[in-house]
Amino acid sequence: MSEDEIILTHILQCRAIDLHINKPELTIAQQKKFYSYRKRRQAGEPLQYILGTCNFMGLELSVNPSVLIPRPETEQLVDAALKHFKGGWALDLGTGSGNIAIALAKFVPHAKVMSVDISKDALKVAHANARHHRVKSRIKFIKKDILKSDVSNNFKFDLIISNPPYIPTQHMKTLPRDVQKEPAAALDGGRDGLDFCRVIIKYTPCLLRKGACLMMEFGDGQAEAINKLVREQKEFSSIEILQDLAGRDRIIKAIL
C-alpha cells in the first residue's frame, strides 16, 4: 500500500481493498484529517507516530515519539529467539514500546519477561501495549539505566534479548529526517555505537543459565567487533552471526 492508502484505511477504519471496491467518500472532517496527516508526513514526521500505531509480528502496538518505531530487523531478532526460547524467564534490555517482550509473551505461553528501560515515558507506552495484548501479568517492567546498573547473579535468565542503541554518535545527524524524529536515546550507541553492546555482553554470562542464550541486534559493519567482544567472554559454548533479509550481518546469537 502507498502511504496515502495507509492513511485512508486508518481514517476510514477499512481494508485496503475497500478503497478500490467500495470507493468510500471522505466526510469534510475526514478530508481535513487526511490533509493534516499528509502535511505532517511531508514535514518528516514518521507515519507510525502520526497514526499512533505500528505492526510488529502481526501485533498492533501503540507508538509515540517517546519510543523507537519497531523495525522488520527486530522481528527477525524475535523470530530467531523463538527457535531457542521455549519458556522460562527472558530479560529484555531497552524495551521501548514493549514490542519484544509482548511478542515473546504472546508466542511463548509459559514465558515471563523482565523488561528494562531508562525512559518512564517509554515504559508507559509499553505498559499500555502489554495491557492491550493481555500479557501484562507476565511482564515485569523496570526503570533502570543499563549502562549504570549493578548486576546481580542471584537470578538467572533463559534468554537475554536486546535491540540496543547502536548508531555511532557522529552518524546521528546523517540519519533520514524521519528517523531523527525518533528518541535519540534509543538510537545513539556512543562514539563507535557499541557502548550498550559492550555492557550487555560483559554481564550476560552472570545472568544466564547454562545452555541459555543471548540474542542481540547490532548495526551495519559492527559484526566483527561484536563477535570479538562475545568471544573475549570465553564462557559461551556457541556463537553465531545471523543475517537480516537484505543479507547483512545483524544479530548475534550466543549460547552459554
Side-chain angles (χ1 to χ4, degrees):
M1 284 194 292
S2 69
E3 288 195 349
D4 281 356
E5 288 175 324
I6 293 171
I7 292 172
L8 285 171
T9 58
H10 177 82
I11 291 173
L12 293 166
Q13 292 296 293
C14 69
R15 302 169 301 170
I17 194 170
D18 293 328
L19 298 176
H20 305 284
I21 294 177
N22 300 323
K23 297 183 179 179
E25 291 188 10
L26 296 177
T27 65
I28 292 174
Q30 289 170 334
Q31 287 178 21
K32 288 181 178 179
K33 185 178 285 189
F34 175 76
Y35 289 116
S36 169
Y37 284 4
R38 283 189 65 185
K39 187 176 181 180
R40 289 167 63 184
R41 185 69 187 110
Q42 288 164 3
E45 188 174 351
L47 182 60
Q48 293 89 341
Y49 289 164
I50 296 170
L51 304 181
T53 64
C54 74
N55 185 286
F56 184 79
M57 299 192 75
L59 305 171
E60 185 176 275
L61 301 174
S62 294
V63 291
N64 64 33
S66 65
V67 299
L68 192 72
I69 298 165
R71 266 56 171 194
E73 292 85 355
T74 308
E75 290 187 331
Q76 290 179 255
L77 171 71
V78 175
D79 225 14
L82 291 173
K83 294 174 183 175
H84 184 88
F85 180 63
K86 302 302 180 183
W89 274 95
L91 175 61
D92 171 27
L93 296 172
T95 197
S97 64
N99 56 308
I100 292 175
I102 291 165
L104 290 175
K106 288 291 284 187
F107 299 130
V108 184
H110 301 294
K112 294 184 178 181
V113 188
M114 188 178 294
S115 289
V116 178
D117 205 289
I118 192 174
S119 167
K120 66 178 182 180
D121 291 330
L123 289 171
K124 286 180 184 177
V125 176
H127 271 281
N129 282 326
R131 280 194 298 270
H132 176 73
H133 288 287
R134 300 181 181 181
V135 292
K136 190 172 180 293
S137 63
R138 291 192 285 125
I139 303 176
K140 182 177 181 180
F141 293 105
I142 299 173
K143 183 181 181 298
K144 189 176 288 188
D145 185 344
I146 298 171
L147 295 180
K148 298 178 181 177
S149 300
D150 294 328
V151 174
S152 168
N153 60 1
N154 294 328
F155 193 89
K156 303 290 186 180
F157 293 91
D158 301 282
L159 171 71
I160 294 177
I161 188 167
S162 183
N163 174 26
Y166 55 67
I167 305 296
T169 302
Q170 65 269 27
H171 294 167
M172 290 291 290
K173 291 182 180 180
T174 68
L175 294 173
R177 186 170 58 157
D178 56 350
V179 178
Q180 292 190 42
K181 301 281 187 179
E182 299 184 62
L187 294 165
D188 191 342
R191 184 183 57 81
D192 62 356
L194 299 176
D195 285 0
F196 290 86
C197 297
R198 284 192 186 90
V199 171
I200 292 168
I201 292 168
K202 178 180 178 181
Y203 290 120
T204 289
C206 301
L207 297 170
L208 284 178
R209 303 182 195 277
K210 188 65 178 175
C213 187
L214 165 67
M215 301 287 301
M216 186 171 65
E217 188 175 328
F218 56 82
D220 292 346
Q222 295 176 344
E224 185 176 347
I226 291 288
N227 193 31
K228 181 180 178 184
L229 287 168
V230 173
R231 291 190 181 281
E232 285 174 349
Q233 291 299 305
K234 301 187 186 303
E235 289 95 338
F236 293 100
S237 62
S238 171
I239 302 168
E240 187 178 358
I241 299 290
L242 308 178
Q243 286 75 42
D244 61 22
L245 292 175
R248 296 168 297 194
D249 291 337
R250 183 64 65 195
I251 297 163
I252 184 84
K253 175 183 178 182
I255 298 175
L256 197 67

